[in-house]
Amino acid sequence: ILAGLCDGSLMVPFKLTMMTSHNDDSKLHDTLCYLASFGISSIVVTPTVYLLYYLFNRFYSTEEIQPPLNSSNNTIITNDETHNNDNNSWIPPSVLPGLSSGILWASANILSVHATWFLGMKVGFPLTQTCVVFNALWGILYFKEIDLMDYKSGNLMRFAGGLVMVMLGSYFLAHSAS
């Protein structure tokens, strides 16, 4: 429910921008202004949320953070062992995939806002929300992240329930009054 509220409230500034736009020539400009304000707010909110998370864990957490252990001999893994020592690089191997996925996400976000702007809220926003179904199918069928045929785990029922919820949400968004 919280994710739905946050995602729904994300579109409030977008709708206000759409209402104040007077002509078709300014649509691209208004879209980019909305995305810039979204990016600036993300830069402000993300460190704030992290700081709150850190402070909560620092003062209220009862769990002690354990250093990573080497599974072969139960010794503590040092920073030198976590990085690629073959080429004396200080860049972890996860940087390139992380940057690539961030660039992909940012591009998709820009294009989804653009699609919503030109197709309208009733068509564009539900269309961008159905991408979750394709992402889930990609993870299940190609990456084998979960086994739908393992009946004891209930994965099939959870996936089917999530699929129904996404499709119902998209349907209700497409047939809403605004």
Side-chain angles (χ1 to χ4, degrees):
I1 292 175
L2 181 63
L5 287 173
C6 290
D7 196 34
S9 64
L10 174 78
M11 297 310 288
V12 171
F14 182 75
K15 286 184 89 169
L16 290 173
T17 304
M18 284 181 73
M19 290 179 359
T20 59
S21 180
H22 300 298
N23 57 25
D24 287 340
D25 295 336
S26 68
K27 282 188 175 183
L28 178 61
H29 178 265
D30 293 340
T31 301
L32 295 176
C33 286
Y34 167 74
L35 287 170
S37 66
F38 176 77
I40 291 168
S41 64
S42 295
I43 289 171
V44 171
V45 170
T46 302
T48 305
V49 170
Y50 177 76
L51 179 65
L52 292 172
Y53 173 77
Y54 172 78
L55 291 173
F56 178 79
N57 282 333
R58 172 87 178 180
F59 296 110
Y60 296 109
S61 179
T62 58
E63 294 181 22
E64 224 178 281
I65 298 174
Q66 299 294 325
L69 296 177
N70 189 336
S71 60
S72 62
N73 57 9
N74 284 336
T75 59
I76 295 175
I77 298 175
T78 63
N79 282 341
D80 293 337
E81 295 175 36
T82 59
H83 299 304
N84 186 0
N85 288 329
D86 293 340
N87 59 2
N88 293 328
S89 174
W90 58 272
I91 300 174
S94 60
V95 168
L96 185 60
L99 284 174
S100 300
S101 65
I103 290 169
L104 186 63
W105 179 85
S107 302
N109 191 31
I110 289 171
L111 294 174
S112 70
V113 169
H114 218 56
T116 303
W117 188 274
F118 287 102
L119 296 175
M121 280 295 225
K122 288 180 136 184
V123 176
F125 194 63
L127 189 63
T128 62
Q129 298 308 301
T130 55
C131 69
V132 174
V133 174
F134 296 106
N135 290 337
L137 288 172
W138 185 255
I140 292 168
L141 299 175
Y142 183 75
F143 291 108
K144 311 284 187 220
E145 291 175 347
I146 59 174
D147 182 16
L148 292 181
M149 296 304 132
D150 182 11
Y151 297 110
K152 292 179 184 175
S153 67
N155 288 338
L156 181 61
M157 293 307 292
R158 276 191 288 253
F159 178 73
L163 182 65
V164 167
M165 294 301 282
V166 167
M167 298 316 271
L168 278 174
S170 295
Y171 174 81
F172 289 132
L173 281 170
H175 291 86
S176 65
S178 59

